[in-house]
Amino acid sequence: MAEYRFILTEDVRPGVRLLTLNRPRQLNALSGGLLREVGEALFAAAGEEAVRAVVLTGSERAFSAGADIKEMVAEGFAAIDDALRQEAWRRIERFPKPLIAAVNGYCLGGGHELALTADLIIAGEGARFGQPEIDIGVLPGDGGTQRITRVAGKSLAMKMILTGETIDAQTALAAGLVAEVVGAEKTLERALELAERIAAKPPVAVRLAKQAVLAAFSTSLEQGLEAERQGARLCFTTADQKEGMAAFVEKRPPRFIGR
């Protein structure tokens, strides 16, 4: 496993890799270097058969407080329009395996946009979510205007983006931005528990199921339904489908091999 400067990586449970943002003094601000390392780590995990799910987390105080403002002051728009930074975002957005964000504390700006690329978010009860870019004269530039609107709707998106006000974890849960709210001390444990459960499922079916759900955000209903059918059709060509159904009929636990 590669060594990184701004993130920590560890295989913590069967099939589960944990990525931890590690700029604690900067509240895990998304510098270009940190974001590139997240992209590199996910790109590597995508190619490792043993890794079946990834959990992304920060610290108790902050998942991430947002983009690195000092970089933007020094470099202007180029700080977020840098080709390497954009490639990092593409790697994160296109990660084909399940990605779970475990969020405590501040989850703001680019940090919130990073969390929203996850397939589901587990939030600690004290977590705060927001897009405060308007307060420094800009707007979200890494997907916030699009992802919040698609998930939570126009009204909440407008409120968060135009006022810069944060919302608490329960509001985020009600809006569909997070999947569960748990005690802060249980946030990472719950995310790892879900990741381990998913990692035990047949990986081809999991990957195709993720693709089908995401198709709902970028296609018409007719196209999305066809993507679902194609995914189901492909599943029926796998050894894991045969094993899963045989195990069900024989009333025994399945033994999935990833094929």
Side-chain angles (χ1 to χ4, degrees), residues 185-201:
E185 73 285 358
K186 298 178 180 178
T187 308
L188 181 57
E189 177 63 25
R190 178 56 176 157
L192 292 172
E193 177 186 323
L194 288 172
E196 185 176 15
R197 182 175 299 183
I198 293 169
K201 307 299 183 185

Side-chain angles (χ1 to χ4, degrees), residues 2 4 17 39-49 51 91 95 97:
Y4 300 99
R17 180 161 295 171
E40 289 167 7
L42 289 178
F43 184 77
E48 295 182 42
E49 188 173 341
V51 179
R91 285 179 166 182
F95 183 58
K97 299 177 181 180

